[in-house]
Amino acid sequence: MEVEANILNSEEAEKLERIAFILKVVAHPLRLGIVHILEQYPELSVSDICTMLSSEQSLTSHHLQNMKLKGILSSRRDGRSILYALKERDVSLIIECLENCKCNM
């Protein structure tokens, strides 16, 4: 039996790299919670997210900033508040796929 040396083409390899990157960025319970909430609301402030997740503002802000720097979230200033939104919709699709899988969880 002959094994094909290069199974993935460059486009498929890039797609897998992107999925791995997204999974690394959101691989924390609080970050997954943030994504889940932002799937339901187009924009939320840090304080709204903290209230909904019962989390500390400093820790939540840290995770939000990290996700923004990695390109998963976008933000805009609204008066004294910063509103966050999902920038990368692929995150929702990947997480939905994992939630729907029939693995032993």
Side-chain angles (χ1 to χ4, degrees), residues 18 21-45 48-50 52-53 55 60 63-68 70-74 84-99:
R18 182 71 184 143
F21 174 79
I22 289 170
L23 289 172
K24 285 180 201 174
V25 172
V26 298
H28 186 280
L30 185 56
R31 291 181 191 174
L32 287 169
I34 290 167
V35 169
H36 182 70
I37 287 171
L38 289 174
E39 287 173 337
Q40 299 169 52
Y41 299 90
E43 285 185 320
L44 287 172
S45 68
D48 290 336
I49 293 169
C50 290
M52 295 170 129
L53 293 175
S55 59
T60 305
H63 285 292
L64 288 166
Q65 189 63 22
N66 186 292
M67 292 170 71
K68 180 185 171 194
K70 301 278 173 70
I72 304 295
L73 302 179
S74 62
Y84 287 90
L86 269 181
K87 180 178 179 182
E88 183 61 68
R89 288 288 166 194
D90 290 345
V91 176
S92 300
L93 297 173
I94 293 167
I95 293 171
E96 181 181 329
C97 184
L98 290 172
E99 287 173 345

Side-chain angles (χ1 to χ4, degrees), residues 4-13 16:
E4 192 173 325
N6 191 4
I7 297 173
L8 297 177
N9 64 39
S10 63
E11 189 176 307
E12 291 169 331
L16 292 176

